[in-house]
């Protein structure tokens, strides 16, 4: 059995942690991760030689405007969250190795590390400031164990006088279009106020379907999810030859279930298109792992707001967590 194919229970090696000038590298049995000080997050996630990130994952606050949002004027009232979705400033980075905080890990302080540190765990926290008025902050904490499993804890700090949120979570953009995904949760498309028809189970989705609304809008939401596995069989490589065996990455719930969408477009790409033919070619996979979602309403499309129980109050803190599981 080679080292890459060992099960988690058979892995006994420690993490190797390298403090570079612009990235922090984490290496283990079958995985290599890079956390970037420059881009403010997890810049590279390589599992068994396959890259899973096209962009650094960041907190996300926006969903593409729905017909009901237009009818009620919600997007106008909460438009600043679209700007926050596009522009975030990293204000602080903190690192712990085996529960010991490292205060001087940026250059030139990193010069004191002559070689990789061997450890059992790494924790790195990125603090972001939102482009809103007033400003608030989000903390994203990554904890990596010896198996390569990453726990992601996300904390949004509520602030008075901020408008209601469309969603809150983390957005992962993957290099190529996925073949499909499977998940454990509710069947079909569900939102907080559209869950009654969902059936609990394990579900398989082929491709990355986008609901063909006349005007592109948010779609493909799945509430109350325990596990999501994304499958790909293509990579970004000029020397790609022959058929590539499918490979996968899994997201699992921590204490509470999560919501997710898995589409070929970001919220902004959907927002920018007024007709289906204006959408760009589907080349990427956009996975949003969400801790909170606003309802979609549907009482009518001419002005009725979403019922208050399904509002997302930006003045209150939101906390949630999930795992990234290399396979």
């Amino acid at each position: 059995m080679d080292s890459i194919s060992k099960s988690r229970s058979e892995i006994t090696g420690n993490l190797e942690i390298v403090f570079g000038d612009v990235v922090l590298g984490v290496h283990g049995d079958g995985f290599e991760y890079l956390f970037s000080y420059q881009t403010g997050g997890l810049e590279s996630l390589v599992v068994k030689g396959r890259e899973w990130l096209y962009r650094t994952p960041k907190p996300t606050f926006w969903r593409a405007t729905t017909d009901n949002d237009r009818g009620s004027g919600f997007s106008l009232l909460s438009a600043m969250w679209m700007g926050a979705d596009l522009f975030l400033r990293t204000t602080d980075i903190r690192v712990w190795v085996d529960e010991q905080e490292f205060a001087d890990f940026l250059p030139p302080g990193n010069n004191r590390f002559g070689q990789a540190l061997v450890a059992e765990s790494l924790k790195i926290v990125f603090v972001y400031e939102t482009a809103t008025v007033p400003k608030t902050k989000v903390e994203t904490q990554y904890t990596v164990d010896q198996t390569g499993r990453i726990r992601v804890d996300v904390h949004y700090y509520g602030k008075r006088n901020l408008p209601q949120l469309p969603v809150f979570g983390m957005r992962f953009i993957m290099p190529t279009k996925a073949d499909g995904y499977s998940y454990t949760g509710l069947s079909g498309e569900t939102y907080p106020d559209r869950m009654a028809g969902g059936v609990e189970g394990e579900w398989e989705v082929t491709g990355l379907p986008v609901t063909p609304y006349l005007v592109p809008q948010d779609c493909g939401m799945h509430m109350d999810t325990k596990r999501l596995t994304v499958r790909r069989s293509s990579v970004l490589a000029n020397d790609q030859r022959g058929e590539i065996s499918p490979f996968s990455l899994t997201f699992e719930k921590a204490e509470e279930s999560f919501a997710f969408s898995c589409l070929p477009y970001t919220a902004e790409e959907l927002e920018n298109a007024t007709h289906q033919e204006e959408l760009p070619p589907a080349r990427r996979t956009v996975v949003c792992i969400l801790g909170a979602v606003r309802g979609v309403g549907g009482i009518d499309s001419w002005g009725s707001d979403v019922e208050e129980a399904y509002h997302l109050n930006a003045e209150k803190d939101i906390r949630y967590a999930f795992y990234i599981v290399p396979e």
Side-chain angles (χ1 to χ4, degrees):
M1 179 181 293
D2 61 36
S3 61
I4 289 178
S5 62
K6 290 179 182 178
S7 68
R8 290 194 185 88
S9 62
E10 296 173 302
I11 294 175
T12 57
N14 290 328
L15 296 177
E16 289 190 352
I17 301 171
V18 180
F19 288 91
D21 287 347
V22 293
V23 296
L24 186 157
V26 187
H27 308 274
D29 195 356
F31 62 89
E32 298 178 349
Y33 307 150
L34 294 178
F35 293 92
S36 172
Y37 311 138
Q38 194 169 47
T39 63
L42 181 59
E43 185 174 58
S44 176
L45 192 152
V46 174
V47 179
K48 298 179 182 178
R50 302 301 189 194
E51 177 63 77
W52 278 96
L53 295 179
Y54 185 68
R55 293 284 186 267
T56 299
K58 292 287 182 68
T60 186
F61 311 95
W62 191 253
R63 70 169 188 212
T65 302
T66 67
D67 286 339
N68 293 302
D69 291 336
R70 294 185 185 95
S72 66
F74 169 73
S75 298
L76 291 172
L77 296 173
S78 294
M80 69 172 68
W81 288 118
M82 183 174 175
D85 203 64
L86 290 166
F87 305 105
L88 271 176
R89 186 172 71 166
T90 305
T91 59
D92 193 19
I93 303 171
R94 302 193 295 272
V95 173
W96 289 259
V97 177
D98 288 344
E99 302 302 323
Q100 177 184 351
E101 185 168 8
F102 279 46
D104 190 21
F105 57 88
L106 295 173
N110 64 325
N111 290 332
R112 73 184 188 277
F113 302 113
Q115 59 186 7
L117 297 183
V118 177
E120 294 183 357
S121 68
L122 168 78
K123 181 169 67 178
I124 182 166
V125 175
F126 294 90
V127 182
Y128 308 101
E129 183 182 76
T130 61
T132 55
V133 181
K135 298 174 182 177
T136 189
K137 68 177 182 177
V138 176
E139 290 187 359
T140 299
Q141 174 180 295
Y142 298 91
T143 305
V144 186
D145 69 17
Q146 294 180 78
T147 70
R149 184 180 175 98
I150 306 173
R151 179 182 169 107
V152 186
D153 288 88
V154 193
H155 183 188
Y156 164 84
Y157 288 80
K159 195 70 168 286
R160 289 188 61 187
N161 299 321
L162 283 173
Q164 293 177 36
L165 280 157
V167 296
F168 175 68
M170 293 290 292
R171 178 173 59 213
F172 297 79
I173 302 179
M174 298 173 178
T176 59
K177 185 180 178 182
D179 301 328
Y181 57 92
S182 57
Y183 69 98
T184 303
L186 298 177
S187 61
E189 181 181 84
T190 51
Y191 285 83
D193 52 355
R194 293 290 182 271
M195 294 174 60
V199 177
E200 183 75 31
E202 296 184 5
W203 307 100
E204 187 83 23
V205 178
T206 301
L208 299 176
V210 176
T211 307
Y213 295 113
L214 180 63
V215 178
Q217 55 194 275
D218 190 67
C219 61
M221 189 66 67
H222 301 276
M223 302 297 299
D224 200 16
T225 305
K226 281 73 175 177
R227 180 182 175 92
L228 164 68
T229 298
V230 181
R231 302 182 311 278
R232 293 167 49 215
S233 60
S234 61
V235 297
L236 288 182
N238 292 331
D239 62 349
Q240 180 177 331
R241 296 186 183 92
E243 185 175 341
I244 296 177
S245 298
F247 52 101
S248 62
L249 185 72
T250 292
F251 300 87
E252 287 183 352
K253 79 179 189 75
E255 291 73 26
E256 303 291 338
S257 59
F258 57 84
F260 82 91
S261 64
C262 187
L263 301 169
Y265 306 117
T266 65
E268 289 75 24
E269 286 172 324
L270 289 169
E271 192 76 65
N272 191 54
T274 58
H275 295 87
Q276 289 289 323
E277 64 269 19
E278 294 176 7
L279 289 169
R283 293 175 295 186
R284 314 280 179 236
T285 303
V286 182
V287 176
C288 293
I289 306 294
L290 303 170
V293 179
R294 175 182 165 88
V296 290
I299 300 169
D300 59 51
S301 294
W302 301 274
S304 295
D305 194 6
V306 172
E307 293 183 1
E308 189 171 351
Y310 306 109
H311 289 183
L312 200 51
N313 190 346
E315 297 185 344
K316 295 183 178 180
D317 282 26
I318 302 171
R319 291 176 180 264
Y320 80 111
F322 59 95
Y323 290 96
I324 303 172
V325 184
E327 302 210 327

